[in-house]
Amino acid sequence: MAEEINYNHLIRPFGPPIGLYDIPGELCVQINSLVDSDSSELTPNGENLAGQIEGEFRISSAACKRMGLGDYLLKTVSKYIEQSIEKKITSFTLIDVWVNRQFANEYNPTHWHSGHISGAGWLKVPSDMVAAGKKRKDRDGCITYTHGSRQFLSHSTYIFEPTAGVMSVFPHYLMHHVYPFVADGERRSLAFNAKIDEDIFDWYGS
Ligand SMILES: [Fe+2]
């Protein structure tokens, strides 16, 4: 006689996964120190990015290596792919790593990235950024990820309140935007684009 199976859980068969991972405190300190310096390892990158943000800087690959940022991103993307599809990557190429220094009234309109896997993390966030919002208290300075259209029982957006020391990882095509804020202080984010094994990216398995 077949064993009775009880169902009492949710499944998430549709939509791209978003991974949330800690950024080690020491690494945050190192990146923030670099950004606060006038190092030649930082290059203005605003022309290449969607953000209505003045302070956008590319971090050189030498600096990524020196700080251990490249290794951290490799480990983080490996974990993300394993958790998503139970596969191990054997290839990892960082295309670009950059920092956005966002201040009051700046914003990042809906956009997507290039490469295979991308990420957005946070290095510092004004303590009253969200609370200072004039009306809604879940918008100012928050990132919203968008996929598909809103339908019954299926949201198309996911709003996340940034916290310093957290990195989000997602497929490059996942649209996202960042609301402006009115609070004083800097919202500093770290972003990257990377390529992994072509046969994992270009995968049509079930
Ligand atoms: Fe982005």
Side-chain angles (χ1 to χ4, degrees), residues 2-204:
E3 198 176 312
E4 189 181 345
I5 300 172
N6 296 309
Y7 290 91
N8 187 26
H9 61 276
L10 286 173
I11 58 172
R12 191 193 57 80
F14 309 116
I18 300 173
L20 293 172
Y21 305 102
D22 288 328
I23 307 173
E26 179 55 32
L27 183 56
C28 282
V29 169
Q30 281 194 72
I31 302 168
N32 278 331
S33 302
L34 175 71
V35 173
D36 290 330
S37 72
D38 57 357
S39 170
S40 60
E41 292 177 317
L42 297 170
T43 315
N45 198 29
E47 290 300 308
N48 302 314
L49 299 170
Q52 295 295 312
I53 296 170
E54 213 164 292
E56 296 174 309
F57 301 93
R58 186 174 190 272
I59 300 179
S60 74
S61 52
C64 288
K65 193 170 181 185
R66 180 174 51 76
M67 295 186 291
L69 177 54
D71 277 347
Y72 165 74
L73 294 175
L74 162 63
K75 283 181 190 147
T76 304
V77 168
S78 297
K79 187 186 285 185
Y80 170 74
I81 294 296
E82 245 182 290
Q83 289 176 332
S84 299
I85 54 172
E86 296 179 357
K87 282 180 175 278
K88 284 186 189 300
I89 62 169
T90 63
S91 168
F92 179 77
T93 307
L94 268 178
I95 301 169
D96 248 331
V97 181
W98 68 98
V99 167
N100 290 337
R101 304 187 65 188
Q102 185 176 348
F103 293 89
N105 301 314
E106 295 187 308
Y107 66 98
N108 212 332
T110 298
H111 66 283
W112 48 90
H113 291 210
S114 59
H116 296 162
I117 305 290
S118 300
W122 301 280
L123 299 166
K124 59 164 72 175
V125 176
S127 57
D128 60 341
M129 181 179 74
V130 176
K134 288 192 174 72
K135 194 172 168 190
R136 296 290 302 255
K137 301 300 181 193
D138 61 351
R139 293 289 190 276
D140 277 32
C142 291
I143 183 168
T144 299
Y145 306 90
T146 302
H147 185 74
S149 59
R150 188 183 186 282
Q151 295 170 296
F152 180 54
L153 302 181
S154 179
H155 292 285
S156 57
T157 58
Y158 177 72
I159 301 172
F160 185 77
E161 181 178 334
T163 306
V166 175
M167 168 66 69
S168 70
V169 179
F170 44 86
H172 74 94
Y173 57 79
L174 185 64
M175 291 181 285
H176 51 284
H177 61 268
V178 179
Y179 289 92
F181 57 88
V182 295
D184 291 333
E186 178 180 354
R187 178 196 187 281
R188 181 178 293 177
S189 61
L190 173 72
F192 73 91
N193 294 332
K195 284 196 170 186
I196 57 169
D197 308 55
E198 283 293 338
D199 61 342
I200 290 180
F201 175 71
D202 195 15
W203 178 57
Y204 290 94

